[in-house]
């Protein structure tokens, strides 16, 4: 089950967030910073799945934007990885020319 | 007049405009503004300003811009700022007739409201109306919101509406209704029955959206209720058919992802099949073919295909599939391991780890690939590969695997070293082909990762070394060479110090058979031990080891005893209390008890093997012979006063009774102690007659006996001390000593006061291990305070009944 869906940029600013389980608002910002920190510290040779507390994080980088999905144990990581790309393609199709900056 | 009127109107209009605030800015403007903030503080300021503006706008009950304001509020909420004052506004928006209002209102409800706020119940009526709205998009909004944040009460009220919509022919609504039903079931599981009829023809749909959400709904129902699970098993053929169509159908533009038709639905179906096929032979058989088909036909060049294959493998491993299929699955995983994509390798290793218990042989075939993954750059992959490697080690491959694992230990990150070292020790212990290999491996670990080895490994290693009697010379020589160069790795130094202390005589005599013996003088050995003592890098524990080792060498070395005496006396004034205590005791050994020194410091006997997972409770040797001269670790029980030890040594009086110690250092669950402790459940009262062991001056001590069922060499004696005089006996201490062939363990007494007039007793338990079944004899010493003076007495107990030791 997907626990949360985040789009965070390299500086740690949240561009989009959706939580599917209740998380206290102050804990959310904390979670987002920690998550982006672990994603930023990964190099290119490392895989896109991180074990973080009791979630698994699946992330994908698009230019300066990280899309991170937090799931529990029962999810297929590779399917989620594919799903992230699907989502970006949908945004692209629907809004045309999706960019980080306004 | 006209002029005045105009002027009045003008003034009126002006004041009107001054009172009214300018139109609130649009969301986009707000975002742009916030992004220009250069610091967190600046951003906070902007947001606070905007919040204030929004608040006053809300107060004015402004309908036109409510939607815009709430949208901005939601954005600020997403950035982490509080937005609770917008909750009621969301409700107002939901109640509005305009779709744009409803849309933002429902979104706001999903983000800001949940069952924790009482306000949310007010929504129920709105949602109910909107579920029956004429426009499907409004119905859709209501369904989404209910499915996102509906509380149990709301779900109960509205379940009927949801169920109705689940049966509609409108696929847009049907798919949303299915997901809403999932949420309802999660919140109110009792309502599951209600949705059962509607599920009957959910899978007949052509629309993939409906199919997908239906499968999710079925999955949720099956996971929650075994009855539902049994009921839905009949859907397996239909699911198989749908899956087959997806694979075989041609290109479908709206479902295509990199050449595969709707992979997300395929994955969902595979997962549902997994749940249905688990523990059920018939269902598993029905899906065998399709699983084999998916496994062989799926295109593996892209991530999509691999995602499906992964799910297939998980399903095959979980259901009761035939062995051919299982082998196929493991081979797929093996192929994944060779893939360039690190994600796939990670996923493969994780799955192999799960299956290695059940399909050990099949996984063994991929051992070399797994071992190669130890050299991967990714930390998670390395960890998985390490765990898997340990799981695959067996008697046949131990030599090869160990080579790889040792190499890995050398080069891996520090966070792995402790686990890897422990794993290597375990594997070596189980499968070592020879003692020499075993010791070499241990040496290798100690020298490469010496500082990461866990503390409990040191006593285990010492025990191992003691037991490899023929390797003593070789071991001590290698250890000596190892610490000559570098004595900073504490576990290594501890083991080395212990061995040098034990086998120093072998070292200097140059007796090594296994390899070229080295020439070492006694002074050189003492040099290195003294360096360890002095070094800043040595911990207190290590120093303890070193000092004891030096002391032991006093009986093994011939020329350097004076030097040893000097070292020991220096440390008698050490700041470290532990070291000081030891040094003082050893000094005493030199001065007053020199005749006993050789006996006390003699070679350790072979320790009995204790499992590495055995009880680690430390055996309490309260008041008994203080084993510190022979121990290598400080006894964990309270400081045992030296006087007691010396007093007890008095008991020896130069005959064959020696104070016997649980031979192992207390850090090792004393092998005897371990066995004895295991007996706690096995005590068997066999009616052995009790005896009065001592009766004098009003103090009577009785022994009662119990023998163990499992270990016939153990006798458990419970002593009871009673006092028939008219005054209490306080500070009562009972001590015992047994002949050399026995082992004794004394547990804590119930108290230290024997009350007068036989009003109570002190109880204490003694456990005696008598492997040679010799006649039990015991010397006891009693100390206590009575009538204001200190009393002390020695006695021998010889009247043990034969049943207690035969």
């Amino acid at each position: 089950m997907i626990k949360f869906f985040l789009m965070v940029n390299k500086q740690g600013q949240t561009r989009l967030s959706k939580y599917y389980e209740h998380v206290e608002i102050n804990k959310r910002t904390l979670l987002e910073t920690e998550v982006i920190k672990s994603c930023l510290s990964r190099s290119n040779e490392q895989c896109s799945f991180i074990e973080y507390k009791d979630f698994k994080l699946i992330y994908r980088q698009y230019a300066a934007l990280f899309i991170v999905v937090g799931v529990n144990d029962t999810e297929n990581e590779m399917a989620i990885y594919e799903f992230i790309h699907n989502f970006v393609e949908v945004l692209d199709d629907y809004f045309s020319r999706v960019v980080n900056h306004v | 007049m006209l002029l005045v009127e105009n002027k009045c109107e003008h003034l009126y209009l002006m004041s009107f405009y001054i009172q009214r605030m300018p139109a609130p800015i649009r969301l986009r403007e707000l975002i742009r503004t916030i992004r220009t903030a250069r610091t967190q503080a600046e951003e906070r300021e902007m947001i606070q300003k905007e919040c204030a503006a929004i608040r006053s706008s809300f107060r004015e009950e402004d309908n036109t811009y409510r939607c815009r304001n709430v949208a901005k509020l939601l954005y600020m909420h997403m950035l982490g700022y509080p937005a609770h004052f917008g909750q009621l506004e969301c409700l107002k928006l939901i109640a509005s007739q305009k779709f744009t209002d409803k849309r933002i209102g429902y979104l706001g409800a999903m983000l800001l409201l949940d069952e924790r706020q009482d306000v949310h119940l007010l929504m129920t009526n709105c949602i109910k109306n909107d579920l029956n709205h004429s426009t499907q998009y409004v119905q859709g909004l209501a369904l989404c919101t209910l499915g996102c944040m509906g509380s149990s009460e709301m779900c109960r009220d509205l379940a009927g509406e949801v169920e109705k919509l689940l049966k509609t022919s409108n696929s847009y609504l049907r798919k949303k209704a299915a997901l809403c039903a999932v949420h309802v079931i999660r919140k109110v599981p009792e309502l599951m029955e209600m949705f059962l009829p509607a599920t009957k023809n959910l899978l007949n749909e052509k629309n993939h959206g409906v199919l997908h959400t239906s499968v999710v709904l079925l999955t949720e129902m099956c996971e929650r209720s075994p009855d539902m699970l049994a009921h839905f098993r009949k859907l397996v053929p239909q699911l198989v058919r749908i899956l087959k169509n997806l694979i075989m159908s041609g290109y479908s533009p709206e479902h295509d992802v990199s050449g595969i038709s709707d992979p997300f639905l395929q994955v969902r179906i595979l997962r549902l099949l997994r749940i249905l096929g688990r523990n059920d032979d018939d269902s598993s058989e029905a899906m065998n073919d399709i699983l084999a088909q998916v496994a062989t036909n799926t295109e593996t060049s892209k991530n999509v295909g691999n995602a499906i294959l992964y799910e297939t493998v998980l399903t095959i491993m979980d259901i009761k599939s035939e062995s051919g299929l299982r082998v196929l699955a493991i081979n797929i995983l093996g192929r994944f391991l060779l893939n360039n994509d690190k994600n796939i390798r990670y996923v493969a290793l994780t799955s192999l780890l799960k299956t290695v218990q059940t399909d050990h042989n099949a996984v063994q075939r991929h051992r070399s690939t797994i071992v190669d993954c130890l050299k991967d750059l990714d930390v998670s992959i390395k960890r998985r590969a390490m765990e898997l490697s340990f799981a695959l080690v067996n008697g046949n491959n131990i030599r090869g695997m160990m080579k790889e694992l040792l190499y890995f230990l050398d080069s891996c990150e520090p966070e792995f070293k402790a686990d890897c070292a422990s794993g290597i020790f375990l594997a070596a212990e189980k499968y070592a082909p020879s003692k020499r290999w075993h010791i070499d491996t241990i040496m290798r670990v100690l020298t490469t990762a010496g500082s990461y080895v866990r503390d409990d490994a040191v006593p285990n290693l010492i025990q191992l070394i003691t037991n490899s009697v023929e390797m003593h010379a070789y071991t001590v020589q290698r250890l000596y060479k190892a610490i000559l160069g570098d004595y900073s790795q504490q576990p290594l130094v501890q083991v080395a110090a212990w061995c040098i202390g034990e086998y120093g005589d072998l070292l200097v005599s140059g007796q090594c058979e296994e390899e070229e013996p080295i020439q070492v003088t006694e002074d050189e050995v003492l040099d290195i031990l003294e360096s360890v003592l002095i070094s800043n890098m040595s911990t207190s524990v290590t120093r303890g080891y070193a000092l004891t080792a030096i002391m032991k060498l006093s009986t093994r070395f011939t020329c350097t005893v004076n030097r040893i005496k000097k070292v020991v006396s220096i440390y008698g004034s050490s700041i470290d209390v532990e070291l000081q205590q030891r040094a003082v005791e050893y000094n005493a050994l030199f001065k007053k008890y020199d005749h006993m020194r050789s006996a006390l410091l003699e070679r350790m006997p072979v320790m009995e093997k204790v499992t590495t997972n055995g009880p680690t409770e430390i055996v309490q040797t309260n008041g008994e012979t203080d084993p510190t001269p022979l121990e290598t670790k400080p006894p964990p029980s309270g400081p045992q006063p030296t006087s007691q030890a010396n007093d007890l040594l008095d008991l020896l009086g130069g005959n064959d009774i020696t104070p016997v110690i649980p031979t192992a250092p207390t850090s090792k669950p004393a092998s005897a102690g371990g066995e004895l402790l295991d007996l706690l459940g096995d005590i068997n009262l066999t009616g052995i007659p009790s005896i009065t062991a001592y009766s004098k001056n009003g103090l009577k001590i009785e022994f009662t006996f119990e023998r163990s069922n499992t270990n016939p060499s153990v006798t458990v004696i419970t002593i009871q001390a009673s006092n028939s005089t008219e005054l209490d006996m306080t500070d009562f201490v009972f001590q015992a000593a047994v002949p050399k062939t026995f082992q004794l363990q004394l547990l804590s007494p119930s108290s230290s006061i024997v009350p007068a007039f036989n009003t109570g007793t002190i109880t204490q338990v003694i456990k005696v291990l008598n492997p040679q079944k010799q006649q039990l004899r015991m010397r006891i010493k009693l100390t206590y305070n009575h009538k204001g003076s200190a009393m002390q007495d020695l006695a021998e107990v010889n009247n043990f009944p034969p049943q207690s030791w035969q």
Side-chain angles (χ1 to χ4, degrees), chain B residues 738-753:
Chain B
V738 285
K740 229 195 255 195
T741 51
F742 293 76
Q743 283 176 24
L744 191 71
Q745 179 192 353
L746 208 59
L747 303 184
S748 308
S750 56
S751 87
S752 63
I753 300 180

Side-chain angles (χ1 to χ4, degrees), chain A residues 14-17 22 25 44-49 51 75-79 81-83 86 100 102, chain B residues 32 35 77-79 81 114 116 257 264 271 303-304 306-307 310-311 342-343 346 377-378 384:
Chain A
T14 309
R15 296 302 186 212
L16 179 72
S17 79
H22 180 79
I25 193 159
N44 275 337
E45 293 91 36
Q46 295 181 299
C47 71
S48 311
F49 313 137
E51 275 147 40
E75 279 299 336
N76 178 333
E77 297 94 323
M78 308 213 316
Y81 188 74
E82 198 57 42
F83 159 69
N86 192 290
N100 193 12
V102 168
Chain B
R32 254 193 219 115
R35 287 210 187 184
H77 173 82
M78 194 179 76
L79 291 181
Y81 297 92
D114 56 42
R116 286 171 191 73
V257 179
F264 304 108
R271 202 173 299 168
N303 182 61
V304 209
N306 289 323
Y310 177 42
E311 195 73 33
K342 50 234 158 25
N343 293 339
Y346 173 85
L377 291 159
D378 182 308
R384 288 276 180 283

Side-chain angles (χ1 to χ4, degrees), chain B residues 299-320:
Chain B
E299 180 69 43
T300 58
S301 54
K302 295 256 178 63
N303 182 61
V304 209
N306 289 323
I308 296 178
L309 274 180
Y310 177 42
E311 195 73 33
T312 314
V313 165
L314 289 178
T315 302
I316 293 176
M317 301 314 291
D318 220 5
I319 63 172
K320 299 202 156 203

Side-chain angles (χ1 to χ4, degrees), chain B residues 723 727-733 751-755 762 783-791:
Chain B
N723 169 11
L727 275 180
D728 290 348
M729 295 172 180
T730 57
D731 300 311
F732 182 83
V733 177
S751 87
S752 63
I753 300 180
V754 196
I762 290 183
T783 47
Y784 55 93
N785 287 335
H786 191 227
K787 297 182 184 166
S789 46
M791 309 279 290

Side-chain angles (χ1 to χ4, degrees), chain A residues 53-67:
Chain A
K53 290 198 191 154
D54 50 352
F55 308 128
K56 254 186 285 197
L57 297 175
I58 297 142
Y59 71 93
R60 256 188 121 133
Q61 186 175 3
Y62 292 92
L65 196 65
F66 278 88
I67 301 189

Side-chain angles (χ1 to χ4, degrees), chain B residues 43 47 81 96 146 156 158 162 217 239 250 252 277 307 379 487 504 537 567 596 601 630 648 750 765 776 787:
Chain B
E43 181 184 286
I47 291 199
Y81 297 92
S96 152
L146 181 61
R156 247 184 263 269
L158 300 169
V162 176
L217 176 59
L239 287 166
S252 152
V379 167
Y487 42 85
M537 295 183 282
V567 173
M596 268 179 245
L601 299 176
L630 283 153
L648 214 46
S750 56
V765 174
L776 190 50
K787 297 182 184 166

Side-chain angles (χ1 to χ4, degrees), chain B residues 442-461:
Chain B
I442 293 175
M443 289 288 312
R444 180 82 186 273
V445 174
L446 284 177
T447 44
T448 45
S451 22
Y452 297 98
V453 166
R454 293 217 167 87
D455 290 336
D456 58 356
V458 172
N460 287 345
L461 295 175

Side-chain angles (χ1 to χ4, degrees), chain B residues 261-530:
Chain B
S261 186
D262 206 342
F264 304 108
L265 179 58
Q266 292 192 33
V267 164
R268 279 280 173 197
I269 293 180
L270 285 165
R271 202 173 299 168
L272 180 56
L273 285 175
R274 180 153 85 236
I275 295 172
L276 293 173
R278 208 179 267 157
N279 291 329
D280 187 79
D281 291 320
D282 292 327
S283 311
S284 304
E285 212 190 298
M287 39 178 107
N288 258 329
D289 285 341
I290 190 66
L291 289 173
Q293 200 177 352
V294 175
T296 38
N297 287 350
T298 310
E299 180 69 43
T300 58
S301 54
K302 295 256 178 63
N303 182 61
V304 209
N306 289 323
I308 296 178
L309 274 180
Y310 177 42
E311 195 73 33
T312 314
V313 165
L314 289 178
T315 302
I316 293 176
M317 301 314 291
D318 220 5
I319 63 172
K320 299 202 156 203
S321 47
E322 49 181 42
S323 59
L325 202 53
R326 291 181 92 87
V327 171
L328 178 61
I330 294 192
N331 287 344
I332 292 177
L333 291 178
R335 249 187 298 141
F336 275 179
L337 280 180
L338 299 166
N339 197 302
N340 283 331
D341 189 339
K342 50 234 158 25
N343 293 339
I344 297 175
R345 287 207 300 275
Y346 173 85
V347 146
L349 285 172
T350 317
S351 322
L352 282 172
L353 198 54
K354 281 190 227 154
T355 65
V356 75
Q357 303 302 330
T358 44
D359 293 86
H360 193 95
N361 292 331
V363 182
Q364 278 283 1
R365 249 175 264 143
H366 301 278
R367 198 183 68 239
S368 47
T369 335
I370 293 171
V371 165
D372 278 338
C373 287
L374 285 172
K375 307 193 184 89
D376 200 291
L377 291 159
D378 182 308
V379 167
S380 334
I381 290 183
K382 272 203 269 211
R383 177 171 284 285
R384 288 276 180 283
M386 180 181 84
E387 289 167 2
L388 204 46
S389 301
F390 281 127
L392 288 177
V393 167
N394 63 23
N396 295 329
N397 57 34
I398 178 75
R399 283 190 193 263
M401 288 295 274
M402 198 49 86
K403 232 193 301 193
E404 296 287 342
L405 287 167
L406 285 171
Y407 180 74
F408 175 66
L409 181 65
D410 231 337
S411 52
C412 70
E413 285 84 351
E415 60 221 48
F416 288 135
K417 292 209 192 221
D419 288 328
C420 191
S422 306
I424 290 181
F425 286 145
L426 262 166
E429 201 174 313
K430 271 200 255 180
Y431 301 112
S434 74
K435 285 231 158 93
R436 163 143 185 198
W437 180 94
H438 197 168
I439 292 194
D440 279 342
T441 309
I442 293 175
M443 289 288 312
R444 180 82 186 273
V445 174
L446 284 177
T447 44
T448 45
S451 22
Y452 297 98
V453 166
R454 293 217 167 87
D455 290 336
D456 58 356
V458 172
N460 287 345
L461 295 175
I462 290 179
Q463 188 225 12
L464 193 66
I465 293 172
T466 325
N467 289 348
S468 333
V469 179
E470 64 280 10
M471 306 291 305
H472 285 167
Y474 171 70
T475 314
V476 70
Q477 183 165 294
R478 285 210 60 190
L479 282 168
Y480 173 76
K481 281 197 278 194
I483 64 168
L484 257 187
D486 162 31
Y487 42 85
S488 60
Q489 303 191 85
Q490 301 303 297
L492 172 63
V493 176
Q494 287 169 9
V495 176
W498 192 92
C499 285
I500 294 176
E502 266 305 288
Y503 310 121
D505 48 332
L506 297 175
L507 185 58
V508 296
S509 65
Q511 278 178 16
C512 186
E513 285 166 0
E514 300 277 343
E515 65 173 21
E516 188 68 33
I518 56 176
Q519 307 297 332
V520 187
T521 66
E522 295 183 3
D523 277 305
E524 283 170 340
V525 174
L526 287 173
D527 280 340
I528 189 74
L529 285 175
E530 276 191 63

